[in-house]
Amino acid sequence: LWKHKRLGSIGHISKKPIARATVNSELKKLKALVNKAVDWGVVPRNTIKSVQTLQRMDARPRSFFTAEQLQALYEADESNSAIWQLLANTGMRVGEALSLKWENVDDVKIRIVSSKEFRTKTRQWRDIPISPGAATALKQLRSKTNYDYVLPPMCKLTLRNRFGKACKKADIVGTPHELRHTFISHLVMQGVPLRTVQVLAGHKTIEVTEQYAHLAPSHMADMVANLNL
């Protein structure tokens, strides 16, 4: 009942429609809170443990930027181009990038760590090899700051606003998270095995990575190449 109320299908509790992903995120947080209450002995058990998240109503391919669109983005926003280039060439989530310190960057890799200060989505660490594009971005960012963090100090909202303005100037549409989709999509299109892509992207399960499988070169054609019924 609570899930449907949040969606607005029962009663009216919000002027704006609530996305299913938002309701699912709230439900996960609520479950975590009740679990903590159980640990502390405040309640005897988690009575909402079995409540299922809402299923997606649609399914569509992940959107991503082409190399030409990325170049237009960099040229439209030169002051922040290194940030966008770093995200596009590493696939880091925005929170991971904002929390990345120079101490976790060396000549060959970026190490994403999950700590008390910042927990990654999967609560796990991973290494991202530094590509030529990432190296260029890191060099520019290093020259601009003596800050402990790789990116200039800002919150997620500020970063999203800057990206939105850059997209408008470049005459493209997208969000910072689509830079992550871009990284993953281009790896798959280059024929990188999905298991490798999963590790680089930090996906908890291979099922998430498989959402990009249709981009693999000749992926579908190869599967039916010898079928002659």
Side-chain angles (χ1 to χ4, degrees), residues 137-153:
L138 288 168
K139 183 177 180 180
Q140 292 182 29
L141 289 166
R142 175 73 84 175
S143 68
K144 293 180 179 180
T145 180
N146 293 319
Y147 195 51
D148 290 341
Y149 291 85
V150 173
L151 299 192

Side-chain angles (χ1 to χ4, degrees), residues 116-128:
K116 291 182 179 179
E117 291 76 22
F118 172 77
R119 295 188 183 279
T120 61
K121 186 175 182 179
T122 60
R123 302 296 193 271
Q124 297 175 342
W125 66 273
R126 73 183 187 279
D127 286 341
I128 305 173

